[in-house]
Amino acid sequence: MNFYRKSFCFFVFFAVFVAIFFSCASFGAKPESVFQPLNYTEADAVRTELARIEELSAEKPVEALWRAVILNRSIAERGVSDEKDELEKTVADSLASAFERVATKYNEFLEAKKYSEADSVLLSLESCGYEGLNSLSMSKEELAALALPESTLAKNTENSVAFKVSQAVSGTVTVWVDRGIAIQSGMGYADRVIGSGFFISKDGYLITNHHVIADLVDKKSQKYSKLFIKLASDSETRIPAKVVGYDSLLDLALLKAEIDSPYVFSLGSSVDLDVGDEVAAIGSPVGLERTLTSGHISVKDRKLTSVGNVFQIDTAVNPGNSGGPLIDKAGNVQAVVFAGMLQYEGLNFAIPVEYLKAELPILFAGGERKHSWIGAFGKPKKEMGKNIGLELLYVMPGGSASRAGLREGDVITAVNGTAVTNNDELFDIYVKLRPGTIVIVQTQKSDGSTAEYPVYLDERPKAPGYEVYSRDIVANSFYPILGMKLSTLSGNKKYTISELVNGGIADESGFTEQDPVEIKQVVFNDEKTMMGATLYTKKKKGGYIDVAIGLTASLDNQYYF
């Protein structure tokens, strides 16, 4: 009786929790139909896709090219059941036109000096096998050089023989976001955000965190905000600055102030950094500019964000340090400080400089930096104790991976010739690329054969799990979200677990394969970043006793790609 009382109390607690934290929507907004791959051996399917390619060509010529390549490839491999000769010629003409439109777009970007965008188009043309590559006016190397101001490319040679930290301090700033007056309990007070930053070019470009300047770029924000910086050598003068580019996912932002920088930091290479190496943070904790704190690298690969790894450091960090540089003994920037756990001494974090270096060309291009994904979920595949690639555990219907021909069980081994053995290595490739780029994905099939696919990089949604839930049936969407693959058992909302993701939420909650599951409710918070599910089950590990279980899951993590 005591067990049932505890189960009932837990269920009541979970029901109250989801009622408060989530906006209730039983089973959410499910799609009327789930995307099914088009059968390009049928003439009608080919005509439908040709019409869609033409429709996309004006606004999204690169995506139109990708779909034309896939269609042409499918026709070549499987043929068309009727009107073969006519349709094959039409498809070939469509592909040729798509190539020319993208080549034209490339030239338009060059004329507008949008070199980062041009580089993305050039890579897409190369991935699709464009025969006119040699006729294009610039190489990838030339475009990469133009995408960054020359002043950020060279190492800082000032005082390189005898580096002094005091000189580096002069290259840091206090970042002020003035949000006007805030009213609390009938009283007004100055509302401001204080962070840190550091110069990366002589002409006033500097780096900080996105969360420091978030109010300035948030389209939903109703606050009055102005951006200033204060030099380390002058704590009284407020110098106007502007946001050039920003990345909310990696928490980075590029700013510009119309001044000559007193000191320019060199961006190092954190690849050679190791646990125990000494580092120092420079910033303005609680507004106290010119503050230096020192410590060590505690962990190199802490998974604190949904993409990539961050450093855990024992260097003292406080509010206001965000956006400041983490430097080595030679003064090279090894990371950007971005977070600390104030209630726990010595638990602080920094973003490796490799990510900043990889996406600087995109930040310089301006605006919000979007990230890429192909609509898939997976984990490293091991053989003989070693990772051989990234296994696709789930492929979202209608996503670019699905349309390209990738299927569950395929193992990604490389992208554009760069080996991939885990999620981190895939993100290292993604971080250099813009959404809207076509890449070549190399895979290993379950039978041991290999294959290559041109894949279009879509824009990563803010909550990939919610995108999955919205575009697939509930039994399938629970696999990436909760780590349980469901098979229909009987009746509505009743299933049995056919497979579990090792280390997933269901696995950690004590479920096993063949456990029966009845889904009673699925709810989301207002931002659609968290999901709650109420389940009835008879778990094997629970002695097959009826029990109500509440599970919650974040709708974004490093396994969505």
Side-chain angles (χ1 to χ4, degrees):
M1 188 67 180
N2 187 46
F3 173 81
Y4 288 105
R5 186 180 294 113
K6 288 182 179 178
S7 297
F8 176 75
C9 290
F10 175 81
F11 177 73
V12 171
F13 170 79
F14 179 74
V16 172
F17 168 73
V18 296
I20 294 173
F21 189 70
F22 293 95
S23 56
C24 181
S26 182
F27 281 88
K30 297 303 297 173
E32 294 182 4
S33 61
V34 176
F35 171 83
Q36 296 293 329
L38 294 175
N39 182 2
Y40 293 130
T41 62
E42 299 295 332
D44 287 343
V46 173
R47 290 195 193 90
T48 299
E49 186 64 2
L50 285 169
R52 181 58 179 154
I53 290 169
E54 187 62 31
E55 183 182 339
L56 284 169
S57 61
E59 296 297 324
K60 297 182 176 181
V62 176
E63 183 178 350
L65 170 62
W66 170 63
R67 293 178 72 146
V69 167
I70 291 174
L71 179 59
N72 186 70
R73 177 173 171 164
S74 179
I75 296 296
E77 291 175 352
R78 292 181 289 173
V80 189
S81 58
D82 18 86
E83 304 176 48
K84 183 176 183 295
D85 293 339
E86 178 187 345
L87 282 176
E88 284 184 350
K89 184 179 184 307
T90 305
V91 169
D93 290 343
S94 176
L95 178 60
S97 298
F99 270 125
E100 292 310 310
R101 281 191 292 261
V102 173
T104 299
K105 193 67 177 178
Y106 168 81
N107 290 323
E108 290 175 359
F109 281 140
L110 282 185
E111 291 176 9
K113 297 184 178 180
K114 295 183 176 181
Y115 300 118
S116 176
E117 291 90 333
D119 182 57
S120 172
V121 172
L122 179 60
L123 179 57
S124 298
L125 287 169
E126 183 179 8
S127 297
C128 293
Y130 180 50
E131 295 180 352
L133 279 178
N134 293 334
S135 65
L136 299 179
S137 55
M138 286 190 185
S139 66
K140 288 189 293 184
E141 292 73 22
E142 290 171 322
L143 284 172
L146 289 170
L148 281 175
E150 187 176 350
S151 54
T152 66
L153 298 176
K155 288 274 187 180
N156 186 3
T157 57
E158 299 175 18
N159 304 295
S160 58
V161 176
F163 167 74
K164 291 185 178 181
V165 174
S166 59
Q167 295 167 332
V169 170
S170 67
T172 61
V173 302
T174 303
V175 179
W176 281 63
V177 178
D178 183 352
R179 303 193 295 188
I181 302 296
I183 307 297
Q184 186 173 350
S185 302
M187 297 290 290
Y189 65 94
D191 186 13
R192 63 178 65 96
V193 176
I194 299 176
S196 301
F198 59 96
F199 289 107
I200 60 168
S201 74
K202 190 65 179 175
D203 52 351
Y205 284 100
L206 63 144
I207 297 298
T208 189
N209 284 146
H210 164 263
H211 76 258
V212 174
I213 54 87
D215 284 322
L216 294 160
V217 297
D218 183 1
K219 296 179 177 63
K220 297 180 180 179
S221 177
Q222 300 296 317
K223 295 180 180 179
Y224 157 91
S225 299
K226 281 191 174 182
L227 176 62
F228 303 94
I229 63 168
K230 291 184 178 182
L231 297 177
S233 60
D234 183 358
S235 62
E236 296 182 355
T237 303
R238 296 194 299 178
I239 302 170
K242 66 178 181 179
V243 179
V244 178
Y246 60 96
D247 180 350
S248 60
L249 204 58
L250 276 177
D251 200 11
L252 294 171
L254 177 68
L255 312 182
K256 178 70 166 69
E258 298 304 322
I259 60 170
D260 287 334
S261 308
Y263 181 91
V264 177
F265 282 88
S266 295
L267 302 183
S269 177
S270 55
V271 173
D272 297 327
L273 209 61
D274 206 351
V275 172
D277 286 352
E278 293 183 14
V279 288
I282 310 174
S284 304
V286 297
L288 299 174
E289 66 276 352
R290 308 191 313 276
T291 297
L292 173 77
T293 53
S294 62
H296 305 84
I297 299 293
S298 301
V299 178
K300 285 189 65 176
D301 56 353
R302 184 66 69 202
K303 295 189 182 302
L304 200 65
T305 65
S306 60
V307 292
N309 294 318
V310 300
F311 293 154
Q312 182 179 321
I313 56 177
D314 65 0
T315 310
V317 169
N318 292 282
N321 270 112
S322 294
L326 189 75
I327 62 174
D328 60 18
K329 290 181 178 180
N332 298 314
V333 176
Q334 297 290 0
V336 182
V337 175
F338 83 104
M341 294 185 179
L342 301 182
Q343 66 270 41
Y344 300 106
E345 185 177 350
L347 283 178
N348 304 308
F349 305 94
I351 306 157
V353 73
E354 304 303 330
Y355 293 149
L356 172 61
K357 290 163 62 177
E359 70 171 17
L360 260 182
I362 301 173
L363 293 177
F364 270 106
E368 182 177 5
R369 191 273 195 265
K370 303 285 189 178
H371 284 271
S372 302
W373 89 316
I374 60 175
F377 174 91
K379 289 190 172 186
K381 173 81 170 180
K382 289 183 179 294
E383 284 187 4
M384 305 294 290
K386 293 184 178 180
N387 291 348
I388 63 165
L390 187 55
E391 184 178 11
L392 295 169
L393 299 178
Y394 171 85
V395 177
M396 185 180 72
S400 57
S402 171
R403 289 181 179 273
L406 292 164
R407 297 293 178 258
E408 292 180 14
D410 289 352
V411 178
I412 296 176
T413 56
V415 174
N416 284 348
T418 300
V420 171
T421 63
N422 55 48
N423 300 75
D424 296 331
E425 290 177 352
L426 182 61
F427 179 71
D428 289 346
I429 297 172
Y430 277 2
V431 76
K432 301 174 185 177
L433 303 173
R434 305 173 69 98
T437 304
I438 302 170
V439 296
I440 295 296
V441 174
Q442 289 90 19
T443 65
Q444 178 178 303
K445 298 293 188 178
S446 57
D447 62 3
S449 63
T450 60
E452 292 187 350
Y453 300 89
V455 182
Y456 180 82
L457 298 182
D458 271 322
E459 182 182 314
R460 184 185 180 97
K462 295 204 178 284
Y466 187 74
E467 185 78 5
V468 166
Y469 185 88
S470 301
R471 295 175 64 168
D472 207 343
I473 61 175
V474 66
N476 294 338
S477 65
F478 267 37
Y479 195 36
I481 297 173
L482 294 175
M484 57 167 69
K485 181 178 287 188
L486 301 178
S487 300
T488 302
L489 185 61
S490 63
N492 190 27
K493 306 175 188 176
K494 293 184 178 180
Y495 308 90
T496 184
I497 297 176
S498 59
E499 195 171 333
L500 289 168
V501 174
N502 186 34
I505 293 172
D507 180 37
E508 295 292 334
S509 300
F511 284 94
T512 56
E513 293 181 7
Q514 304 309 314
D515 281 350
V517 171
E518 181 179 355
I519 304 172
K520 300 304 292 184
Q521 190 178 44
V522 176
V523 291
F524 301 90
N525 66 344
D526 291 336
E527 294 78 21
K528 304 295 189 295
T529 56
M530 295 288 294
M531 187 188 88
T534 309
L535 311 175
Y536 285 160
T537 184
K538 294 181 180 180
K539 294 196 297 182
K540 178 181 179 181
K541 291 181 179 179
Y544 298 105
I545 298 175
D546 279 321
V547 64
I549 292 181
L551 299 178
T552 59
S554 169
L555 296 174
D556 191 10
N557 60 54
Q558 69 269 28
Y559 300 117
Y560 292 103
F561 56 85

